[in-house]
Amino acid sequence: MKKYIYYPQGTCSVKMTFVLDDDNRIEDFAVERGCNGNLKGIRSLILNQKAEDIIAKLEGITCHNKPTSCPDQIAKGLRKCLDGSLKAEEE
């Protein structure tokens, strides 16, 4: 398993941590700050799902008049995990 740290842009959340298994399934996910209840709900929905599937579902979601949202930033962070833009820490 690999652990990734992503710092979202343009949202209330300030740090996202992803743990992916060798098949790119999300084993764990945590967020610092942001809408606590919503992010707990998102966490329960994305655990054990393939990162590619979550990217397809969340990418492009906006929040109020902002061009992004926490779900969109989750997709962006996962994309960076998959394309190698984020350095992984071995779990």
Side-chain angles (χ1 to χ4, degrees):
M1 286 192 245
K2 294 180 180 169
K3 177 179 173 181
Y4 300 88
I5 305 294
Y6 175 69
Y7 296 95
Q9 302 291 312
T11 61
C12 299
S13 56
V14 296
K15 180 180 175 184
M16 296 180 175
T17 304
F18 302 97
V19 177
L20 304 180
D21 70 11
D22 293 336
D23 293 324
N24 292 328
R25 288 195 181 276
I26 301 164
E27 291 291 321
D28 199 7
F29 171 68
V31 181
E32 287 185 23
R33 296 188 29 194
C35 302
N36 187 268
N38 288 335
L39 291 166
K40 283 180 184 175
I42 291 170
R43 180 183 188 278
S44 71
L45 292 170
I46 71 173
L47 288 181
N48 300 311
Q49 302 297 311
K50 294 212 44 114
E52 296 90 341
D53 295 338
I54 298 306
I55 292 167
K57 291 177 181 178
L58 300 182
E59 196 166 45
I61 294 174
T62 60
C63 183
H64 299 288
N65 61 349
K66 296 177 185 178
T68 191
S69 65
C70 288
D72 183 55
Q73 289 296 303
I74 291 167
K76 288 181 183 332
L78 287 170
R79 186 172 297 285
K80 289 182 177 290
C81 294
L82 298 184
D83 72 14
S85 298
L86 291 178
K87 184 178 178 185
E89 304 171 10
E90 292 295 326
E91 271 290 290

